[in-house]
Amino acid sequence: MSSWGTAPAPPARTVLIYRNGDRFCPGRRFVVTPRRFPTLEAFLAEVTRALQAPLAVRNLYTPRHGRGVAALGDLRHGGHYVAAGTERLTKLDYLNQGRKEPRGTRRSEGLQVGAQDGQGGVFRNGDLLSPPFPLLLPGRIPLQWDTFLATLTEKVELSSGAVNKLCRLDGTPVSRGEELQNGHHYVAVGKEEYKPLPYWELLVPQDSGCRTLGYV
């Protein structure tokens, strides 16, 4: 039986989840859809695996008030939650953990890309009515590629739901942050196939001022 409840659900909900009692955990981003996670139990199993929790995750709590999540339909898009087993919520300032460092530091963790470094953008797969989406991102690309795709899901808002992959304009997929290059354009693709369309020719006028590629 589905645990989404009777309320209509959006194509995808992106949430950030912390480990209970772990003051050093910056949180892990998850994209939640009815197709991928039909029940709360299925989602908790994935949270257990992704967070490498020592015990199975049985409960999700809001970090400030400790409200429990009874069904997937209770998850708020963009919300923050704490994953716990059968123990109670440990009170910590989860929302201020794992603050990102200033741009230009710890370069080894990912490619340094800032809004001022070059021009680029992200197209929506098959969409010839919208311009490329400018993203203002931090100075480095996260090593966790699924976190980056979750960010694209939030910002690009594909009609097909979550962003499952990023492709170059010729359709070849990008599988990790280190492959992204300044000044290049990419296409955000869901579960559907990449649609070979003249994105650049139709959507990027020569004087376009909306061609900044970055990371959130």
Side-chain angles (χ1 to χ4, degrees), residues 11-76:
R13 294 181 181 180
T14 303
V15 296
L16 191 68
I17 298 183
Y18 307 91
R19 281 192 297 262
N20 188 39
D22 187 345
R23 64 180 67 254
F24 301 106
C25 177
R28 179 71 178 266
R29 198 177 301 271
F30 295 84
V31 178
V32 186
T33 64
R35 177 176 295 183
R36 185 178 181 189
F37 302 113
T39 66
L40 180 61
E41 290 72 22
F43 179 55
L44 294 181
E46 174 61 16
V47 172
T48 300
R49 184 197 67 79
L51 291 182
Q52 298 181 348
L55 299 175
V57 173
R58 301 299 184 192
N59 296 285
L60 297 176
Y61 299 100
T62 58
R64 286 180 175 168
H65 303 290
R67 298 191 184 95
V69 174
L72 288 172
D74 296 338
L75 295 176
R76 179 175 58 85

Side-chain angles (χ1 to χ4, degrees), residues 109-122:
E109 293 194 14
L111 179 65
Q112 299 285 336
V113 178
Q116 75 281 6
D117 293 330
Q119 294 180 329
V122 177

Side-chain angles (χ1 to χ4, degrees), residues 31 33 36 145-146 149-150 152-153 158 160-166 174 188-192:
V31 178
T33 64
R36 185 178 181 189
W145 185 244
D146 57 345
L149 295 182
L152 288 182
T153 296
L158 287 180
S160 59
V163 175
N164 281 352
K165 61 182 177 181
L166 196 67
V174 178
V189 183
K191 291 186 176 180
E192 74 281 2

Side-chain angles (χ1 to χ4, degrees), residues 9 13 42 62 68 80 99 102 128 195 208 215-216:
R13 294 181 181 180
T62 58
H80 294 235
R99 289 290 188 182
L128 291 180
K195 297 179 181 179
S208 174
Y215 296 88
V216 177

